[in-house]
Amino acid sequence: MIIRPAEEADLPQILSVTEQGTRESAFAGTYDRERTTDYVRTHMYWDDAAVIVAIDDNEKLVGGFIAVTGYEMWAERLCGLSKFWVLQRRTNTARLLVQALIDFSEDRECMSIYVSATAQLAQKEQKLFENLLTRAGFDHAGAVMKRDM
């Protein structure tokens, strides 16, 4: 397994994974491939962000994440996880990606990493994601709330 920054050649596989993820979510938006392409590319080439992918031994994309950093109103940087996806579940892929997120944040001297588990997954998958983060040292830091419009 190789964990590395995404490259332009990864984009078709990333788009496939993100579209598949929308079908696993209870989120009621309409998937837009063109906007997804722009979103991913923005984070690939933005200095304060990264798109990191997990590539298996067959050179297939099996997971990844999008993270951003910023100072907001602080002297220290914060890191936020925007997207996280794993195709090979119940493997070490998710753990490797979480460690890559931690490394990304340490490399940028972030004081904290914020992650919200808001993909609206099935309860079992949601709990697995939360357990993954807890085992990696993340603590609950308040609720995320949503209002549909």
CSV table of all heavy atoms in Angstrom, one decimal, residues 55-110:
chain,number,residue,atom,x,y,z
A,55,ILE,N,-3.0,3.8,-2.5
A,55,ILE,CA,-2.9,3.0,-3.8
A,55,ILE,C,-2.5,1.6,-3.4
A,55,ILE,O,-1.5,1.4,-2.7
A,55,ILE,CB,-1.9,3.6,-4.8
A,55,ILE,CG1,-2.3,5.1,-5.1
A,55,ILE,CG2,-1.9,2.8,-6.1
A,55,ILE,CD1,-3.6,5.3,-5.7
A,56,ASP,N,-3.3,0.6,-3.8
A,56,ASP,CA,-2.9,-0.8,-3.5
A,56,ASP,C,-1.8,-1.3,-4.4
A,56,ASP,O,-1.4,-0.7,-5.3
A,56,ASP,CB,-4.2,-1.7,-3.4
A,56,ASP,CG,-4.8,-2.0,-4.8
A,56,ASP,OD1,-4.2,-1.7,-5.8
A,56,ASP,OD2,-5.9,-2.6,-4.8
A,57,ASP,N,-1.5,-2.6,-4.2
A,57,ASP,CA,-0.4,-3.2,-5.0
A,57,ASP,C,-0.7,-3.4,-6.4
A,57,ASP,O,0.1,-3.6,-7.3
A,57,ASP,CB,0.0,-4.6,-4.3
A,57,ASP,CG,0.6,-4.4,-2.9
A,57,ASP,OD1,1.1,-3.3,-2.6
A,57,ASP,OD2,0.5,-5.4,-2.2
A,58,ASN,N,-2.0,-3.3,-6.8
A,58,ASN,CA,-2.5,-3.4,-8.2
A,58,ASN,C,-2.7,-2.0,-8.8
A,58,ASN,O,-3.3,-1.9,-9.8
A,58,ASN,CB,-3.8,-4.2,-8.2
A,58,ASN,CG,-3.6,-5.6,-7.8
A,58,ASN,OD1,-2.7,-6.3,-8.1
A,58,ASN,ND2,-4.6,-6.1,-6.9
A,59,GLU,N,-2.1,-1.0,-8.1
A,59,GLU,CA,-2.2,0.4,-8.6
A,59,GLU,C,-3.6,0.9,-8.6
A,59,GLU,O,-3.9,1.8,-9.4
A,59,GLU,CB,-1.4,0.6,-9.9
A,59,GLU,CG,0.0,0.2,-9.8
A,59,GLU,CD,0.8,0.5,-11.0
A,59,GLU,OE1,0.3,1.3,-11.9
A,59,GLU,OE2,1.9,0.0,-11.1
A,60,LYS,N,-4.5,0.4,-7.8
A,60,LYS,CA,-5.9,0.9,-7.7
A,60,LYS,C,-6.0,1.8,-6.5
A,60,LYS,O,-5.5,1.5,-5.4
A,60,LYS,CB,-6.9,-0.3,-7.6
A,60,LYS,CG,-6.9,-1.2,-8.7
A,60,LYS,CD,-7.6,-0.6,-9.9
A,60,LYS,CE,-7.8,-1.7,-11.0
A,60,LYS,NZ,-8.2,-1.1,-12.2
A,61,LEU,N,-6.8,2.8,-6.7
A,61,LEU,CA,-7.1,3.7,-5.6
A,61,LEU,C,-8.1,3.1,-4.7
A,61,LEU,O,-9.1,2.6,-5.1
A,61,LEU,CB,-7.6,5.1,-6.1
A,61,LEU,CG,-7.8,6.1,-5.1
A,61,LEU,CD1,-7.5,7.5,-5.7
A,61,LEU,CD2,-9.3,6.2,-4.6
A,62,VAL,N,-7.7,2.9,-3.4
A,62,VAL,CA,-8.6,2.2,-2.4
A,62,VAL,C,-9.0,3.1,-1.3
A,62,VAL,O,-9.7,2.7,-0.4
A,62,VAL,CB,-7.9,0.9,-1.9
A,62,VAL,CG1,-7.8,-0.1,-3.0
A,62,VAL,CG2,-6.6,1.2,-1.2
A,63,GLY,N,-8.6,4.4,-1.3
A,63,GLY,CA,-9.0,5.3,-0.3
A,63,GLY,C,-8.3,6.6,-0.4
A,63,GLY,O,-7.4,6.8,-1.3
A,64,GLY,N,-8.7,7.6,0.4
A,64,GLY,CA,-8.0,8.9,0.4
A,64,GLY,C,-8.7,9.9,1.3
A,64,GLY,O,-9.7,9.5,2.0
A,65,PHE,N,-8.2,11.1,1.3
A,65,PHE,CA,-8.8,12.1,2.1
A,65,PHE,C,-8.4,13.5,1.5
A,65,PHE,O,-7.5,13.6,0.8
A,65,PHE,CB,-8.4,12.1,3.6
A,65,PHE,CG,-7.0,12.3,4.0
A,65,PHE,CD1,-6.5,13.6,4.0
A,65,PHE,CD2,-6.2,11.3,4.2
A,65,PHE,CE1,-5.2,13.9,4.4
A,65,PHE,CE2,-4.8,11.5,4.6
A,65,PHE,CZ,-4.4,12.8,4.7
A,66,ILE,N,-9.2,14.5,1.9
A,66,ILE,CA,-9.0,15.9,1.6
A,66,ILE,C,-8.9,16.6,2.9
A,66,ILE,O,-9.8,16.5,3.8
A,66,ILE,CB,-10.1,16.5,0.7
A,66,ILE,CG1,-10.1,15.7,-0.7
A,66,ILE,CG2,-9.8,18.0,0.5
A,66,ILE,CD1,-11.2,16.2,-1.6
A,67,ALA,N,-7.8,17.3,3.1
A,67,ALA,CA,-7.6,18.1,4.3
A,67,ALA,C,-7.2,19.5,4.0
A,67,ALA,O,-6.6,19.7,3.0
A,67,ALA,CB,-6.5,17.4,5.2
A,68,VAL,N,-7.5,20.4,4.9
A,68,VAL,CA,-7.2,21.8,4.7
A,68,VAL,C,-6.6,22.3,6.0
A,68,VAL,O,-6.8,21.8,7.1
A,68,VAL,CB,-8.4,22.7,4.3
A,68,VAL,CG1,-8.9,22.3,3.0
A,68,VAL,CG2,-9.4,22.6,5.4
A,69,THR,N,-5.8,23.4,5.9
A,69,THR,CA,-5.2,24.0,7.1
A,69,THR,C,-5.5,25.5,7.0
A,69,THR,O,-5.8,26.1,6.0
A,69,THR,CB,-3.7,23.8,7.2
A,69,THR,OG1,-3.1,24.5,6.1
A,69,THR,CG2,-3.3,22.4,7.2
A,70,GLY,N,-5.5,26.1,8.2
A,70,GLY,CA,-5.8,27.6,8.2
A,70,GLY,C,-5.5,28.1,9.6
A,70,GLY,O,-5.5,27.3,10.6
A,71,TYR,N,-5.4,29.4,9.7
A,71,TYR,CA,-5.1,30.0,11.0
A,71,TYR,C,-6.3,30.5,11.7
A,71,TYR,O,-6.3,30.7,12.9
A,71,TYR,CB,-4.1,31.2,10.8
A,71,TYR,CG,-2.7,30.7,10.5
A,71,TYR,CD1,-2.3,30.6,9.2
A,71,TYR,CD2,-1.8,30.3,11.5
A,71,TYR,CE1,-1.0,30.1,8.8
A,71,TYR,CE2,-0.5,29.8,11.2
A,71,TYR,CZ,-0.2,29.7,9.8
A,71,TYR,OH,1.1,29.2,9.5
A,72,GLU,N,-7.4,30.8,10.9
A,72,GLU,CA,-8.6,31.4,11.4
A,72,GLU,C,-8.1,32.7,12.2
A,72,GLU,O,-7.6,33.6,11.6
A,72,GLU,CB,-9.4,30.4,12.3
A,72,GLU,CG,-9.9,29.3,11.5
A,72,GLU,CD,-10.8,28.3,12.3
A,72,GLU,OE1,-11.0,28.6,13.5
A,72,GLU,OE2,-11.2,27.3,11.7
A,73,MET,N,-8.4,32.7,13.5
A,73,MET,CA,-8.0,33.8,14.3
A,73,MET,C,-6.8,33.5,15.3
A,73,MET,O,-6.6,34.3,16.2
A,73,MET,CB,-9.2,34.4,15.1
A,73,MET,CG,-9.7,33.6,16.2
A,73,MET,SD,-10.8,32.2,15.6
A,73,MET,CE,-12.1,32.9,14.8
A,74,TRP,N,-6.1,32.4,15.0
A,74,TRP,CA,-5.1,32.0,15.9
A,74,TRP,C,-3.7,32.2,15.4
A,74,TRP,O,-3.5,32.3,14.2
A,74,TRP,CB,-5.3,30.5,16.2
A,74,TRP,CG,-6.7,30.1,16.5
A,74,TRP,CD1,-7.6,29.5,15.8
A,74,TRP,CD2,-7.4,30.4,17.7
A,74,TRP,NE1,-8.8,29.4,16.4
A,74,TRP,CE2,-8.7,30.0,17.6
A,74,TRP,CE3,-7.0,31.1,18.9
A,74,TRP,CZ2,-9.6,30.1,18.6
A,74,TRP,CZ3,-8.0,31.2,19.9
A,74,TRP,CH2,-9.2,30.7,19.8
A,75,ALA,N,-2.7,32.2,16.2
A,75,ALA,CA,-1.3,32.3,15.8
A,75,ALA,C,-0.9,30.9,15.2
A,75,ALA,O,0.0,30.9,14.4
A,75,ALA,CB,-0.4,32.7,16.9
A,76,GLU,N,-1.5,29.9,15.7
A,76,GLU,CA,-1.2,28.5,15.3
A,76,GLU,C,-2.2,28.0,14.2
A,76,GLU,O,-3.4,28.4,14.3
A,76,GLU,CB,-1.2,27.5,16.5
A,76,GLU,CG,-0.3,27.9,17.6
A,76,GLU,CD,-0.9,29.0,18.6
A,76,GLU,OE1,-2.1,29.3,18.4
A,76,GLU,OE2,-0.2,29.5,19.4
A,77,ARG,N,-1.8,27.2,13.4
A,77,ARG,CA,-2.6,26.6,12.4
A,77,ARG,C,-3.5,25.5,12.9
A,77,ARG,O,-3.2,24.8,13.8
A,77,ARG,CB,-1.7,25.9,11.4
A,77,ARG,CG,-1.8,26.4,10.0
A,77,ARG,CD,-0.9,25.5,9.1
A,77,ARG,NE,0.2,26.2,8.6
A,77,ARG,CZ,0.5,26.2,7.3
A,77,ARG,NH1,-0.2,25.6,6.4
A,77,ARG,NH2,1.5,26.9,6.9
A,78,LEU,N,-4.7,25.4,12.3
A,78,LEU,CA,-5.6,24.3,12.6
A,78,LEU,C,-5.7,23.4,11.3
A,78,LEU,O,-5.5,23.9,10.2
A,78,LEU,CB,-7.0,24.8,12.9
A,78,LEU,CG,-7.1,25.7,14.2
A,78,LEU,CD1,-8.5,26.2,14.3
A,78,LEU,CD2,-6.7,24.9,15.4
A,79,CYS,N,-6.0,22.2,11.5
A,79,CYS,CA,-6.2,21.3,10.3
A,79,CYS,C,-7.6,20.8,10.4
A,79,CYS,O,-8.1,20.5,11.5
A,79,CYS,CB,-5.2,20.1,10.3
A,79,CYS,SG,-5.4,19.0,8.9
A,80,GLY,N,-8.2,20.6,9.2
A,80,GLY,CA,-9.6,20.1,9.2
A,80,GLY,C,-9.7,19.0,8.1
A,80,GLY,O,-9.1,19.2,7.0
A,81,LEU,N,-10.3,17.9,8.4
A,81,LEU,CA,-10.6,16.9,7.4
A,81,LEU,C,-11.9,17.2,6.7
A,81,LEU,O,-12.9,17.3,7.3
A,81,LEU,CB,-10.7,15.5,8.1
A,81,LEU,CG,-10.9,14.3,7.2
A,81,LEU,CD1,-9.7,14.1,6.4
A,81,LEU,CD2,-11.3,13.1,8.0
A,82,SER,N,-11.8,17.4,5.4
A,82,SER,CA,-13.0,17.7,4.6
A,82,SER,C,-13.7,16.4,4.1
A,82,SER,O,-14.9,16.4,4.1
A,82,SER,CB,-12.6,18.6,3.4
A,82,SER,OG,-12.1,19.8,3.9
A,83,LYS,N,-12.9,15.5,3.6
A,83,LYS,CA,-13.5,14.3,3.0
A,83,LYS,C,-12.5,13.1,3.4
A,83,LYS,O,-11.3,13.3,3.5
A,83,LYS,CB,-13.6,14.3,1.5
A,83,LYS,CG,-14.4,15.5,0.9
A,83,LYS,CD,-15.8,15.3,1.3
A,83,LYS,CE,-16.7,16.5,0.9
A,83,LYS,NZ,-17.8,16.7,1.7
A,84,PHE,N,-13.2,11.9,3.5
A,84,PHE,CA,-12.4,10.7,3.8
A,84,PHE,C,-13.2,9.6,3.2
A,84,PHE,O,-14.4,9.4,3.4
A,84,PHE,CB,-12.4,10.5,5.4
A,84,PHE,CG,-11.5,9.4,5.9
A,84,PHE,CD1,-10.2,9.6,6.1
A,84,PHE,CD2,-12.0,8.2,6.0
A,84,PHE,CE1,-9.4,8.6,6.6
A,84,PHE,CE2,-11.2,7.1,6.5
A,84,PHE,CZ,-9.9,7.4,6.8
A,85,TRP,N,-12.5,8.7,2.4
A,85,TRP,CA,-13.1,7.6,1.8
A,85,TRP,C,-12.2,6.4,1.8
A,85,TRP,O,-11.0,6.5,1.7
A,85,TRP,CB,-13.7,7.9,0.4
A,85,TRP,CG,-12.6,8.3,-0.6
A,85,TRP,CD1,-12.0,7.4,-1.4
A,85,TRP,CD2,-12.1,9.6,-0.8
A,85,TRP,NE1,-11.1,8.1,-2.2
A,85,TRP,CE2,-11.1,9.4,-1.9
A,85,TRP,CE3,-12.3,10.8,-0.3
A,85,TRP,CZ2,-10.4,10.5,-2.4
A,85,TRP,CZ3,-11.5,11.9,-0.8
A,85,TRP,CH2,-10.6,11.7,-1.8
A,86,VAL,N,-12.8,5.2,2.0
A,86,VAL,CA,-12.1,4.0,2.0
A,86,VAL,C,-12.9,2.9,1.3
A,86,VAL,O,-14.1,2.7,1.6
A,86,VAL,CB,-11.8,3.5,3.4
A,86,VAL,CG1,-11.1,2.1,3.4
A,86,VAL,CG2,-11.0,4.5,4.2
A,87,LEU,N,-12.3,2.3,0.3
A,87,LEU,CA,-13.0,1.2,-0.5
A,87,LEU,C,-12.7,-0.1,0.2
A,87,LEU,O,-13.6,-1.0,0.2
A,87,LEU,CB,-12.5,1.2,-1.9
A,87,LEU,CG,-13.0,2.4,-2.8
A,87,LEU,CD1,-12.4,2.3,-4.2
A,87,LEU,CD2,-14.5,2.5,-2.8
A,88,GLN,N,-11.5,-0.3,0.7
A,88,GLN,CA,-11.1,-1.6,1.3
A,88,GLN,C,-11.4,-1.5,2.8
A,88,GLN,O,-10.6,-1.1,3.6
A,88,GLN,CB,-9.7,-1.9,1.1
A,88,GLN,CG,-9.3,-2.2,-0.3
A,88,GLN,CD,-7.8,-2.6,-0.4
A,88,GLN,OE1,-7.0,-2.3,0.4
A,88,GLN,NE2,-7.5,-3.3,-1.5
A,89,ARG,N,-12.6,-1.8,3.2
A,89,ARG,CA,-13.0,-1.7,4.6
A,89,ARG,C,-12.5,-2.9,5.3
A,89,ARG,O,-12.3,-4.0,4.7
A,89,ARG,CB,-14.5,-1.5,4.7
A,89,ARG,CG,-14.9,-0.2,4.0
A,89,ARG,CD,-16.2,0.2,4.4
A,89,ARG,NE,-16.5,1.6,3.8
A,89,ARG,CZ,-17.5,1.9,3.2
A,89,ARG,NH1,-18.5,1.1,3.0
A,89,ARG,NH2,-17.7,3.1,2.7
A,90,ARG,N,-12.4,-2.8,6.6
A,90,ARG,CA,-11.9,-3.8,7.5
A,90,ARG,C,-10.5,-4.3,7.1
A,90,ARG,O,-10.1,-5.4,7.2
A,90,ARG,CB,-12.8,-5.0,7.6
A,90,ARG,CG,-14.0,-4.8,8.5
A,90,ARG,CD,-15.1,-4.3,7.8
A,90,ARG,NE,-16.4,-4.1,8.4
A,90,ARG,CZ,-17.2,-3.3,8.0
A,90,ARG,NH1,-16.9,-2.5,6.9
A,90,ARG,NH2,-18.4,-3.1,8.5
A,91,THR,N,-9.7,-3.3,6.6
A,91,THR,CA,-8.3,-3.5,6.3
A,91,THR,C,-7.5,-2.4,7.1
A,91,THR,O,-8.1,-1.6,7.8
A,91,THR,CB,-8.0,-3.4,4.8
A,91,THR,OG1,-8.2,-2.1,4.4
A,91,THR,CG2,-8.9,-4.4,4.0
A,92,ASN,N,-6.2,-2.3,6.8
A,92,ASN,CA,-5.5,-1.3,7.5
A,92,ASN,C,-5.5,0.0,6.7
A,92,ASN,O,-4.9,1.0,7.1
A,92,ASN,CB,-4.1,-1.7,7.8
A,92,ASN,CG,-3.2,-1.9,6.6
A,92,ASN,OD1,-3.7,-2.0,5.5
A,92,ASN,ND2,-1.9,-1.9,6.7
A,93,THR,N,-6.2,0.1,5.6
A,93,THR,CA,-6.3,1.3,4.8
A,93,THR,C,-6.7,2.5,5.6
A,93,THR,O,-6.0,3.6,5.5
A,93,THR,CB,-7.2,1.1,3.5
A,93,THR,OG1,-6.7,0.0,2.8
A,93,THR,CG2,-7.2,2.3,2.6
A,94,ALA,N,-7.8,2.4,6.3
A,94,ALA,CA,-8.3,3.5,7.0
A,94,ALA,C,-7.3,4.0,8.1
A,94,ALA,O,-7.1,5.2,8.3
A,94,ALA,CB,-9.6,3.2,7.7
A,95,ARG,N,-6.7,3.1,8.8
A,95,ARG,CA,-5.7,3.4,9.8
A,95,ARG,C,-4.5,4.1,9.2
A,95,ARG,O,-3.9,5.1,9.7
A,95,ARG,CB,-5.2,2.2,10.6
A,95,ARG,CG,-6.3,1.6,11.5
A,95,ARG,CD,-5.8,0.5,12.4
A,95,ARG,NE,-5.4,-0.7,11.6
A,95,ARG,CZ,-6.3,-1.6,11.1
A,95,ARG,NH1,-7.6,-1.5,11.4
A,95,ARG,NH2,-5.9,-2.6,10.5
A,96,LEU,N,-4.0,3.6,8.0
A,96,LEU,CA,-2.9,4.3,7.3
A,96,LEU,C,-3.3,5.7,6.9
A,96,LEU,O,-2.5,6.6,7.0
A,96,LEU,CB,-2.5,3.5,6.1
A,96,LEU,CG,-1.8,2.1,6.4
A,96,LEU,CD1,-1.7,1.3,5.1
A,96,LEU,CD2,-0.5,2.3,7.1
A,97,LEU,N,-4.5,5.9,6.4
A,97,LEU,CA,-4.9,7.2,6.0
A,97,LEU,C,-5.1,8.2,7.2
A,97,LEU,O,-4.7,9.3,7.1
A,97,LEU,CB,-6.3,7.1,5.3
A,97,LEU,CG,-6.1,6.6,3.8
A,97,LEU,CD1,-7.5,6.2,3.3
A,97,LEU,CD2,-5.4,7.5,2.9
A,98,VAL,N,-5.6,7.7,8.3
A,98,VAL,CA,-5.6,8.5,9.5
A,98,VAL,C,-4.2,8.9,10.0
A,98,VAL,O,-4.0,10.1,10.3
A,98,VAL,CB,-6.4,7.9,10.7
A,98,VAL,CG1,-6.3,8.6,12.0
A,98,VAL,CG2,-7.9,7.8,10.3
A,99,GLN,N,-3.3,8.0,9.9
A,99,GLN,CA,-1.9,8.3,10.3
A,99,GLN,C,-1.3,9.4,9.3
A,99,GLN,O,-0.6,10.3,9.7
A,99,GLN,CB,-1.0,7.1,10.3
A,99,GLN,CG,0.4,7.4,10.8
A,99,GLN,CD,0.4,8.0,12.2
A,99,GLN,OE1,-0.2,7.5,13.1
A,99,GLN,NE2,1.0,9.2,12.3
A,100,ALA,N,-1.7,9.2,8.0
A,100,ALA,CA,-1.2,10.2,7.0
A,100,ALA,C,-1.8,11.6,7.3
A,100,ALA,O,-1.2,12.6,7.1
A,100,ALA,CB,-1.6,9.8,5.6
A,101,LEU,N,-3.1,11.6,7.8
A,101,LEU,CA,-3.7,12.9,8.2
A,101,LEU,C,-2.9,13.5,9.4
A,101,LEU,O,-2.7,14.7,9.4
A,101,LEU,CB,-5.2,12.7,8.5
A,101,LEU,CG,-5.9,13.9,9.2
A,101,LEU,CD1,-6.0,15.0,8.2
A,101,LEU,CD2,-7.3,13.5,9.6
A,102,ILE,N,-2.6,12.7,10.3
A,102,ILE,CA,-1.8,13.2,11.5
A,102,ILE,C,-0.5,13.7,11.0
A,102,ILE,O,0.0,14.7,11.4
A,102,ILE,CB,-1.7,12.0,12.5
A,102,ILE,CG1,-3.1,11.7,13.1
A,102,ILE,CG2,-0.7,12.4,13.6
A,102,ILE,CD1,-3.2,10.5,14.0
A,103,ASP,N,0.2,12.9,10.2
A,103,ASP,CA,1.5,13.4,9.6
A,103,ASP,C,1.4,14.7,8.9
A,103,ASP,O,2.2,15.6,9.0
A,103,ASP,CB,2.1,12.3,8.7
A,103,ASP,CG,2.4,11.0,9.5
A,103,ASP,OD1,2.5,11.0,10.7
A,103,ASP,OD2,2.6,10.0,8.8
A,104,PHE,N,0.3,14.8,8.0
A,104,PHE,CA,0.1,16.0,7.3
A,104,PHE,C,0.0,17.2,8.2
A,104,PHE,O,0.6,18.3,8.0
A,104,PHE,CB,-1.2,15.8,6.4
A,104,PHE,CG,-1.8,17.1,5.9
A,104,PHE,CD1,-1.3,17.6,4.7
A,104,PHE,CD2,-2.8,17.8,6.5
A,104,PHE,CE1,-1.9,18.8,4.1
A,104,PHE,CE2,-3.3,18.9,6.0
A,104,PHE,CZ,-2.9,19.4,4.8
A,105,SER,N,-0.8,17.0,9.3
A,105,SER,CA,-1.0,18.1,10.3
A,105,SER,C,0.3,18.4,11.1
A,105,SER,O,0.5,19.6,11.4
A,105,SER,CB,-2.1,17.7,11.2
A,105,SER,OG,-3.3,17.4,10.5
A,106,GLU,N,1.0,17.4,11.5
A,106,GLU,CA,2.3,17.6,12.2
A,106,GLU,C,3.3,18.3,11.3
A,106,GLU,O,4.0,19.3,11.7
A,106,GLU,CB,2.9,16.3,12.6
A,106,GLU,CG,2.2,15.7,13.8
A,106,GLU,CD,2.7,14.3,14.2
A,106,GLU,OE1,3.4,13.7,13.5
A,106,GLU,OE2,2.4,13.9,15.3
A,107,ASP,N,3.4,18.0,10.0
A,107,ASP,CA,4.3,18.6,9.0
A,107,ASP,C,3.9,20.1,8.9
A,107,ASP,O,4.8,20.9,8.6
A,107,ASP,CB,4.2,18.0,7.7
A,107,ASP,CG,4.8,16.6,7.6
A,107,ASP,OD1,5.5,16.2,8.6
A,107,ASP,OD2,4.6,15.9,6.6
A,108,ARG,N,2.7,20.5,9.1
A,108,ARG,CA,2.3,21.9,9.0
A,108,ARG,C,2.1,22.6,10.3
A,108,ARG,O,1.6,23.6,10.4
A,108,ARG,CB,0.9,21.9,8.2
A,108,ARG,CG,1.2,21.7,6.7
A,108,ARG,CD,0.0,21.1,6.0
A,108,ARG,NE,0.4,20.7,4.6
A,108,ARG,CZ,1.0,19.6,4.2
A,108,ARG,NH1,1.4,18.8,5.1
A,108,ARG,NH2,1.3,19.4,3.0
A,109,GLU,N,2.6,21.9,11.3
A,109,GLU,CA,2.6,22.4,12.7
A,109,GLU,C,1.2,22.9,13.2
A,109,GLU,O,1.1,23.9,13.8
A,109,GLU,CB,3.6,23.5,12.8
A,109,GLU,CG,5.1,23.0,12.5
A,109,GLU,CD,6.1,24.1,12.6
A,109,GLU,OE1,5.8,25.3,12.7
A,109,GLU,OE2,7.3,23.8,12.6
A,110,CYS,N,0.2,22.1,12.9
A,110,CYS,CA,-1.1,22.4,13.3
A,110,CYS,C,-1.3,22.1,14.8
A,110,CYS,O,-0.7,21.1,15.3
A,110,CYS,CB,-2.2,21.5,12.5
A,110,CYS,SG,-2.3,21.9,10.8
